[in-house]
Amino acid sequence: MPDVTLTTLQEMKRNGDKITMLTAYDATFARAACQAGVEVLLVGDSLGMVVQGNDSTLPVSVEEMAYHTACVKRGNQGALIATDLPFMSYATLEQTLANCARVMQAGAHMVKLEGGANLVPAVQRLAENGVPVCAHLGLTPQSVNLFGGYKVQGRGDAQARRLREDALALEQAGAAMLLLECVPSDLASEIARTARVPVIGIGAGAGTDGQVLVLHDMLGLSLTGRTPKFVKNFMAGQGSIQDAFAAYVKAVKDGSFPAAEHGFSA
Ligand code: KIV
């Protein structure tokens, strides 16, 4: 597979080819995901939960994100690597620039920040400095304490309007990609249709330009025993992890994942 770039992803959106994204935290899984055809490897701060065993993503540090990004880079074979900036590491513009530099120099091609229109100054500055940003909207796990739990976002007229406005503001500020987590499927489809940049979904229905899942979730592994509604266990019925990755890529590409049962209503 030739190296995946932002141009590749923009072309995929234009052509209606679904984009596959999967979290990766180490070299071996990164390599296996690439070999299955995954276009974007997300070094997610979900590693705080699935790798470190915390009950939220809040304890993760920039150094830990840089370490896992470097691990993923060593296993990568042509995918685009996106890395999360962790909790409170982009509270000021100076912090944002310094911490982005750290993860980009470790091997990220793009950074992911959680938030809405409040991120506009950071997105503008990063774009001016050559850093592509994926803006993560909807259920942003770093704000779990503000939300009072992991809850669907964008329900009701006021929240839906705010999400549309945030998505537009971030795109206009220069965000290269949007990621919608746990938002009603119809709203996510509308945002993806309107946006000129690729929109990736998780718990956002089948109408986005691509899908992402957390590696451990899609392999049917859970520390808590609870499986979110939007997760499908791709390991079920497969003989190997490579087969599970291939099944995920195929299901996203042919539109069979996510099914209606994985999404949320308004
Ligand atoms: O950290 C992460 O893995 C994420 C995904 C849930 C999208 O942000």
Side-chain angles (χ1 to χ4, degrees), residues 216-239:
H216 297 60
D217 287 347
M218 61 84 76
L219 292 177
L221 298 170
S222 167
L223 273 178
T224 62
R226 288 189 302 272
T227 305
K229 172 180 161 71
F230 55 80
V231 169
K232 177 171 174 184
N233 175 1
F234 283 92
M235 198 62 205
Q238 303 293 341

Side-chain angles (χ1 to χ4, degrees), residues 152 155 182-186 202-205 229-230 260 262-266:
V152 178
R155 278 188 164 143
C182 290
V183 304
S185 304
D186 288 351
I202 175 166
K229 172 180 161 71
F230 55 80
H262 301 116
F264 300 100
S265 57

Side-chain angles (χ1 to χ4, degrees), residues 152-167:
V152 178
Q153 302 295 311
R155 278 188 164 143
D157 289 348
Q159 274 202 23
R161 189 175 331 109
R162 168 99 187 266
L163 202 61
R164 283 188 203 99
E165 288 170 359
D166 281 352

Side-chain angles (χ1 to χ4, degrees), residues 21-25 42-48 50 57 65 84 112 114 136 139 141-142 179-181 200-202 212-215 217 230:
M21 186 193 261
L22 189 60
T23 67
Y25 316 103
L42 173 63
V43 187
D45 60 355
S46 51
L47 69 86
V50 297
T57 59
M65 294 309 299
D84 271 329
K112 179 161 79 59
E114 297 184 4
H136 182 158
L139 171 52
Q142 291 170 16
L179 190 151
L180 299 176
E181 177 166 353
I200 307 296
I202 175 166
V212 60
L213 280 179
V214 169
L215 168 68
D217 287 347
F230 55 80

